[in-house]
Amino acid sequence: MPRFAYKALDSSGKSVNGELEATDRKRALQQLSGQRLRPLSVHSVGESGSGEGGDSEAETRDFFGGGSGKKSRFRLKRSKSAVALEFLKRLLVLLSSGMSLGDAVSLLSRRLTDPQMQGLCHEIWKRLSEGHTLAGAMRVGPDLFSASTIHLVEAGEASGNLIPVLERIVAYLEETREVRKRLISNLTYPAFVLSTAVAVVIILLTFLLPRIQEMLDQLGGDLPLITRILITSSEATATYGPFVLIAAVLGVFALRRWRKTETGQRKTDLALLRTPLIGRIYLYSNIYGTTNLMGTLLGSGVNTTETLRLVERTINNVILRAKFAVARRQIQEGVSMATAIQRVHYMPDLAMDILTVGENTGNIVNSLQDINRIYREELTKSLNLLTTATVAVALGGAILLVAIIAVSVVFSVLSVGQSLQL
């Protein structure tokens, strides 16, 4: 019968090494669980990674790049949220296949070639070997994994439902990232169109019109009023444009510094909420994020008090965070969730009606998911409307300015022609 060497942790957290006989690796893991040991690594004794190789270089070459031994010098550094999500997704796949937690993290630390992922897996594996839980090991980077994610993992380990909890976490993070990507992509095209239109107008005013003016001055004749206005605008742009640009940069820098103060953040957050269309998008985005996280936490077994505390910490807008804090305190005093949230006007009446039904029927998680789905659709509609409006304004403005310049040039040519005939 095959023998398996293992490294595990006992109930006191002490590391235990040994060997056992089992028909396969799955049976070996079951035996360790029966002995109340948490396996970190289990492998067959005498297991070898070598095989009968050929003489051809093509037969031994790793076409996926994992064994080339060469590291790319040009590797883009991914965001912390992307690294955290990638780690959780890979860990979920390995755990779902029946691999133990320790083996899964150890395998990831050896197989992954990305420096960020490799360093993360190595540090988590080190902490697991020291007796920490996965949630405790994930605190290696408090800015890498959010507090809500770590708390969910902790709840999953305590209840023995780590895989279902990881599935919820991954689904939540992927959905949140998808909404963020959709927001960025919807705003990228209008920004590109607007910047292109501004660039075209600047080129026409600073390069084309001065040349036309020189040509008309040589031919003689009076310039039409519209042409003189455009030429004056061109000269003003060339003269004062750099100063305006510098002032704009300094203004943005000063606004960022002011926003770091309590008064500045409060006033800018309030102005953002009052901005037409953009404010509505911001509100829908906040409702989406809040209900999504609340549903994930409550559905994973986290109690209501802790759920509300964690959700409050994720709200960036200080106005909305203050509203939610008031509602949270009322809920802790015994007021129903729907009533407390409705009192501070944190969500629209439609959401409150759905939440009330969920509380009355005991299906508050399903109600939160329904609210999340409704306002995700509203968020998508608002983003599409913003994209359409921005593109229309940018293109319309650019076409109007180009048309004015073209008309001024035509009038100038006609004026010069009339003066030559005289």
Side-chain angles (χ1 to χ4, degrees):
M1 185 176 294
R3 295 187 61 81
F4 293 86
Y6 65 86
K7 182 178 181 180
L9 298 176
D10 59 17
S11 57
S12 62
K14 183 179 179 182
S15 179
V16 178
N17 297 319
E19 295 184 2
L20 54 81
E21 293 184 349
T23 55
D24 53 30
R25 188 173 179 281
K26 185 176 181 180
R27 297 292 183 183
L29 291 173
Q30 292 176 351
Q31 289 187 32
L32 292 174
S33 298
Q35 299 174 16
R36 296 186 178 180
L37 296 176
R38 189 174 65 166
L40 296 176
S41 62
V42 178
H43 61 273
S44 176
V45 176
E47 194 176 55
S48 176
S50 63
E52 295 182 1
D55 296 332
S56 172
E57 180 185 357
E59 294 178 357
T60 58
R61 176 176 297 177
D62 182 2
F63 291 99
F64 295 97
S68 61
K70 297 180 180 179
K71 294 183 179 180
S72 174
R73 297 181 180 179
F74 305 99
R75 187 186 295 273
L76 294 177
K77 188 175 182 180
R78 293 184 294 177
S79 63
K80 295 177 181 179
S81 59
V83 173
L85 176 58
E86 185 67 19
F87 168 76
L88 293 174
K89 287 172 63 177
R90 291 177 177 267
L91 180 63
L92 176 60
V93 170
L94 294 178
L95 292 179
S96 300
S97 67
M99 189 174 291
S100 65
L101 176 61
D103 280 347
V105 178
S106 177
L107 179 63
L108 290 176
S109 65
R110 295 195 309 268
R111 292 291 180 87
L112 296 177
T113 57
D114 182 84
Q116 291 176 278
M117 290 287 296
Q118 195 175 45
L120 172 63
C121 294
H122 177 76
E123 190 64 31
I124 290 181
W125 162 246
K126 178 182 175 182
R127 292 204 170 198
L128 287 176
S129 302
E130 294 172 353
H132 292 276
T133 62
L134 177 59
M138 288 169 61
R139 289 188 173 91
V140 62
D143 55 346
L144 193 63
F145 298 99
S146 64
S148 56
T149 298
I150 295 175
H151 200 88
L152 279 171
V153 172
E154 189 174 16
E157 288 184 296
S159 62
N161 297 318
L162 181 58
I163 292 178
V165 169
L166 284 178
E167 290 175 347
R168 283 181 172 270
I169 295 174
V170 170
Y172 165 72
L173 294 178
E174 285 187 328
E175 192 171 0
T176 303
R177 186 178 66 169
E178 185 63 29
V179 171
R180 188 182 297 113
K181 286 173 61 178
R182 190 183 304 122
L183 174 62
I184 294 174
S185 62
N186 284 354
L187 295 179
T188 298
Y189 180 63
F192 172 75
V193 173
L194 184 61
S195 60
T196 303
V198 171
V200 169
V201 171
I202 291 176
I203 292 174
L204 290 174
L205 291 177
T206 56
F207 294 100
L208 181 61
L209 276 181
R211 293 181 181 273
I212 295 175
Q213 181 184 11
E214 293 177 2
M215 180 185 68
L216 295 177
D217 289 341
Q218 293 175 359
L219 296 175
D222 296 331
L223 297 178
L225 176 62
I226 187 172
T227 305
R228 292 198 299 269
I229 293 175
L230 286 176
I231 291 175
T232 303
S233 301
S234 172
E235 294 174 349
T237 301
T239 303
Y240 302 106
F243 298 101
V244 173
L245 181 61
I246 293 174
V249 173
L250 293 177
V252 171
F253 179 75
L255 181 62
R256 289 172 62 90
R257 291 289 301 270
W258 182 57
R259 180 171 165 74
K260 291 181 180 179
T261 64
E262 183 177 352
T263 302
Q265 185 175 8
R266 182 175 182 83
K267 288 188 176 181
T268 52
D269 285 348
L270 182 59
L272 179 63
L273 293 173
R274 290 177 174 176
T275 304
L277 186 56
I278 295 178
R280 184 171 63 179
I281 291 175
Y282 193 86
L283 284 172
Y284 288 164
S285 177
N286 182 77
I287 295 174
Y288 162 80
T290 300
T291 54
N292 198 355
L293 183 56
M294 287 178 64
T296 302
L297 290 168
L298 293 174
S300 300
V302 181
N303 62 68
T304 303
T305 301
E306 189 66 18
T307 294
L308 296 174
R309 185 183 65 84
L310 291 172
V311 171
E312 181 183 337
R313 293 173 56 183
T314 64
I315 301 174
N316 296 322
N317 189 288
V318 294
I319 305 297
L320 297 178
R321 190 192 308 150
K323 286 177 172 288
F324 193 88
V326 173
R328 176 180 61 81
R329 289 192 291 268
Q330 292 183 7
I331 293 171
Q332 291 176 346
E333 293 172 358
V335 180
S336 68
M337 184 180 295
T339 302
I341 293 177
Q342 190 172 25
R343 284 178 180 177
V344 297
H345 305 288
Y346 185 80
M347 293 183 187
D349 293 337
L350 174 61
M352 292 300 93
D353 293 339
I354 298 174
L355 192 60
T356 301
V357 173
E359 285 189 304
N360 293 336
T361 59
N363 293 323
I364 191 168
V365 174
N366 292 335
S367 296
L368 289 171
Q369 292 174 350
D370 291 339
I371 297 172
N372 177 265
R373 184 178 61 257
I374 291 172
Y375 286 96
R376 180 177 56 192
E377 295 174 355
E378 292 294 330
L379 178 61
T380 301
K381 293 178 182 178
S382 299
L383 287 174
N384 292 336
L385 179 60
L386 177 63
T387 302
T388 304
T390 307
V391 171
V393 171
L395 288 178
I399 292 173
L400 179 61
L401 288 174
V402 172
I404 292 175
I405 293 173
V407 170
S408 67
V409 171
V410 172
F411 283 176
S412 301
V413 172
L414 292 176
S415 177
V416 172
Q418 291 176 359
S419 64
L420 291 176
Q421 290 177 0
L422 296 176

